[in-house]
Amino acid sequence: MKLLGISRITPGLATVNDIQREVVPDGKGFLHSLYTSLKPDYPKFFKMDLHCKLGFLATELLLEGTEGRFEPREDRAVVAFTHNGCLQNDLEFNAGCKAENYFPSPALFVYTLPNIVTGEICIRNRYKGDSSCFVLPNPDREKIQECLECVFQDPVTTSALCTWVDYKSEEDYEAYAFLIENK
Amino acid sequence: MTVRTAILSDYAITPLAFGSEENLSAYLEGRSCLRRHVGTFGIQDPFYASLFDREQVEAEAVKAGIPENYSFFEKVAILAAGRAIEASGTDPASPRTAFIISSTKGNIERLDNCPGEAPLDVPAARIASFFGNPSTPVVVSVACISGLAALIHARRLLTSSTRYDRVVVCGAEAYCGFFVSGFQCLKALSANRCRPFCADRDGLNLGEAAACMVLGRSDDTQLAPWEIVCGAVRNDANHISGPSRTGEGSYNCLRAVLPHCEERPAFVSVHGTGTAYNDEMESVALSRAGLLDVPVCAMKSVFGHTMGAAGILESILSIKSLDKGLVLPTPGFTGGGVSYPVDASPVPRLADGNSFIKLLSGFGGCNAAALFRKGGAR
């Protein structure tokens, strides 16, 4: 397996292969500013929960400017790793269910699954290959490698776009996206 | 030599019965625990579901020595895994045994009082450590295909390296108000028993279950005739909460699996949720794959939609029915509800063949298919 590139987002910092990506503050918070800087022109972003937003932005950072990017393909797997998953969104949905006026929001409920981020990335990039979501206590290198060895057992899969996303709060989150080739 | 993946043992727990054979018998007797609930989980709008008798499970958990403070989800998963592990003669405490857990929401019932226990790796670690397993368990959480994706992952784990001899794959789902409110607000629940592939179908029923398979490497196929031949997962890349109208991902899964069939499969064990979009999509995918003449069975009008357990539970029931030479019925099936008529039946039929395909689809655009074969005679 060969690592082709890696991006990372933490509060106030975005990097691609350890080089800082310039983010012009737009006054609407760091993630919004990053979105504005990347200019994906992708209104669906604003519907996403924070787990998906982070996964989306990390993969956008990594793939920005890639040649032939939106050609439909089946040979690239999308693999999400996470600990908290969509917990923040679960709490928000749950609060609606417990509220005095009982309001379970369908817009929130569809994001209460940790694998939705893979769907969002597949839709954006037109990837029709394998897609998976593994929940681990931490981004354990050995475990992630073990999972990816399994992903590459599918003869169609030649590369994997992976994310590690863990959102705890506005001040505490981390997202990685990395592209692995099976060589 | 090709490494084969042997199914060494299985155990299914549903509100209908404890045990794989017991569930098959109850199914063939036409029984189901799907019923109307009013006020359950504090939900005012009535809903149809197949739910565990809490007291019965708690009593079984005490007998099995499961600590009282474990969550309900952890208890049902441990009960299913314990029986399957025992039947396979596997040492669960060996570093050469891996645990894979599949679920969509795991301990979500703890969200109110103990949100730190909600991340899926928390119950998984508790389940694995109950059996003394030293490794970090992997949780496969891919919406409704979780159980089948976990079996496919387990097969890959056994064939990609010699690190493990045995893999315990346990899928479970236990409900609370969170689920019911969510599916109700999506208007995805039927107010009656669900009717997969029927013209008047109007939604799914939730069902609780825990189901476990213990898998081993090729040498064990001498002992256990059933194997998982291959499996594939494909994304629709179309919509996060609706299936592709062209059945794209489901068809692509079938396209990946079909070349491995040595014979026409005896049946396709379909997803068949009873929702308008899923069943229509599956009929399109089966048509594109040239499988409309192969019998199908949909089990959700018996067990409900068991989410993270569905792939394992429905595969176990498929194996048990084919062992008896039968295609399971789809209770209540009257047909006429999809563009490409599928070959389902409200009564059991004789099966022709020694293999079947399990098919599932879920939110996030995910789809999975796997080929199971009885290879004893080979």
Side-chain angles (χ1 to χ4, degrees):
Chain A
M1 282 191 281
K2 191 179 158 198
L3 179 69
L4 298 181
I6 184 162
S7 63
R8 182 171 182 248
I9 304 170
T10 51
L13 184 67
T15 63
V16 182
N17 299 320
D18 289 328
I19 299 162
Q20 190 171 344
R21 169 69 159 85
E22 197 192 343
V23 178
V24 184
D26 66 0
K28 294 177 181 170
F30 181 67
L31 294 180
H32 196 283
S33 305
L34 179 55
Y35 173 86
T36 308
S37 302
L38 286 164
K39 302 191 194 69
D41 188 21
Y42 198 70
K44 269 187 209 159
F45 173 80
F46 299 101
K47 288 185 178 176
M48 296 179 196
D49 78 324
L50 282 152
H51 183 236
C52 288
K53 277 183 176 158
L54 275 166
F56 177 85
L57 289 172
T59 51
E60 286 297 304
L61 258 178
L62 186 61
L63 299 177
E64 193 183 11
T66 315
E67 226 176 286
R69 187 170 155 200
F70 298 111
E71 288 298 313
R73 59 193 295 179
E74 200 177 339
D75 63 338
R76 179 166 289 170
V78 176
V79 188
F81 296 93
T82 182
H83 161 63
N84 277 310
C86 45
L87 180 62
Q88 209 51 44
N89 182 69
D90 290 358
L91 288 165
E92 214 179 307
F93 171 77
N94 199 43
C97 298
K98 304 282 149 136
E100 218 167 294
N101 61 346
Y102 183 66
F103 182 70
S105 154
L108 292 175
F109 186 66
V110 294
Y111 284 100
T112 60
L113 291 164
N115 68 305
I116 298 297
V117 67
T118 64
E120 292 287 13
I121 294 167
C122 286
I123 293 167
R124 166 65 170 165
N125 297 287
R126 301 184 189 169
Y127 295 162
K128 298 184 175 189
D130 197 332
S131 69
S132 251
C133 175
F134 299 101
V135 184
L136 299 169
N138 50 61
D140 176 343
R141 249 168 204 271
E142 228 172 279
K143 262 303 172 209
I144 288 176
Q145 184 158 342
E146 185 183 282
C147 289
L148 291 177
E149 279 169 17
C150 291
V151 166
F152 284 122
Q153 288 290 299
D154 187 317
V156 169
T157 305
T158 58
S159 65
L161 178 60
C162 312
T163 58
W164 166 270
V165 177
D166 220 29
Y167 183 91
K168 292 188 189 82
S169 69
E170 220 172 297
E171 298 80 37
D172 187 3
Y173 58 80
E174 185 175 49
Y176 287 92
F178 47 104
L179 188 59
I180 307 271
E181 199 177 33
N182 189 23
K183 271 207 173 141
Chain B
M1 197 192 95
T2 320
V3 180
R4 290 163 64 190
T5 311
I7 300 168
L8 301 179
S9 68
D10 55 74
Y11 199 83
I13 296 178
T14 73
L16 198 50
F18 276 45
S20 303
E21 294 289 353
E22 289 79 356
N23 270 290
L24 179 73
S25 301
Y27 193 122
L28 290 171
E29 284 162 19
R31 295 197 280 131
S32 168
C33 285
L34 284 169
R35 66 174 183 85
R36 190 168 187 259
H37 287 266
V38 185
T40 306
F41 305 136
I43 301 291
Q44 294 318 307
D45 285 340
F47 63 98
Y48 239 75
S50 167
L51 303 177
F52 280 118
D53 174 345
R54 261 54 189 171
E55 282 177 21
Q56 184 199 1
V57 171
E58 293 294 344
E60 290 292 332
V62 170
K63 271 194 257 170
I66 304 171
E68 202 194 330
N69 64 341
Y70 279 32
S71 72
F72 186 77
F73 169 81
E74 290 157 0
K75 286 173 182 168
V76 287
I78 289 171
L79 285 172
R83 294 293 190 87
I85 290 166
E86 200 184 323
S88 68
T90 297
D91 174 10
S94 164
R96 298 193 59 76
T97 300
F99 273 72
I100 298 175
I101 306 298
S102 71
S103 182
T104 66
K105 297 308 297 172
N107 271 350
I108 196 71
E109 59 160 311
R110 299 240 158 151
L111 197 60
D112 288 331
N113 301 323
C114 215
E117 291 193 18
L120 286 159
D121 56 284
V122 176
R126 206 168 277 158
I127 293 161
S129 69
F130 177 84
F131 294 104
N133 191 267
S135 311
T136 305
V138 168
V139 183
V140 177
S141 187
V142 201
C144 307
I145 73 162
S146 296
L148 196 55
L151 289 175
I152 292 169
H153 183 65
R155 190 191 111 72
R156 292 171 176 174
L157 201 55
L158 286 162
T159 52
S160 66
S161 81
T162 53
R163 210 172 296 141
Y164 305 105
D165 297 320
R166 299 285 166 91
V167 185
V168 177
V169 193
C170 186
E173 214 72 69
Y175 296 121
C176 58
F178 185 99
F179 282 90
V180 184
S181 299
F183 282 100
Q184 276 184 342
C185 76
L186 287 186
K187 308 209 181 309
L189 297 186
S190 174
N192 301 294
R193 193 162 163 182
C194 70
R195 300 177 50 74
F197 299 101
C198 295
D200 54 354
R201 69 184 184 279
D202 63 354
L204 59 85
N205 301 146
L206 294 173
E208 292 185 320
C212 181
M213 275 190 196
V214 180
L215 306 183
R217 295 165 58 75
S218 53
D219 305 349
D220 297 317
T221 42
Q222 321 247 322
L223 309 168
W226 277 96
E227 64 172 309
I228 303 177
V229 180
C230 65
V233 177
R234 295 289 182 269
N235 203 287
D236 288 331
N238 177 63
H239 196 275
I240 58 158
S241 57
S244 150
R245 282 180 193 278
T246 59
E248 195 68 9
S250 188
Y251 165 66
N252 284 334
C253 288
L254 289 168
R255 200 163 51 88
V257 163
L258 282 172
H260 297 267
C261 294
E262 289 174 352
E263 51 163 27
R264 279 306 258 182
F267 57 84
V268 180
S269 171
V270 289
H271 194 28
T273 59
T275 59
Y277 291 117
N278 174 81
D279 297 2
E280 171 65 15
M281 179 282 289
E282 274 193 297
S283 87
V284 174
L286 289 168
S287 162
R288 287 182 69 186
L291 289 170
L292 286 179
D293 59 338
V294 175
V296 304
C297 67
M299 305 184 194
K300 291 186 175 71
S301 51
V302 175
F303 297 118
H305 191 334
T306 59
M307 302 287 159
I312 304 173
L313 173 69
E314 294 171 9
S315 296
I316 291 175
L317 268 289
S318 297
I319 286 171
K320 298 294 166 197
S321 66
L322 201 45
D323 275 339
K324 288 201 167 13
L326 295 173
V327 183
L328 282 174
T330 302
F333 178 76
T334 48
V338 288
S339 300
Y340 300 89
V342 296
D343 183 14
S345 162
V347 293
R349 289 173 289 175
L350 289 178
D352 180 16
N354 286 307
S355 60
F356 70 88
I357 292 172
K358 177 74 205 120
L359 193 61
L360 289 177
S361 298
F363 279 9
C366 56
N367 304 269
L371 175 65
F372 292 74
R373 182 157 59 210
K374 193 171 167 177
R378 289 163 3 116

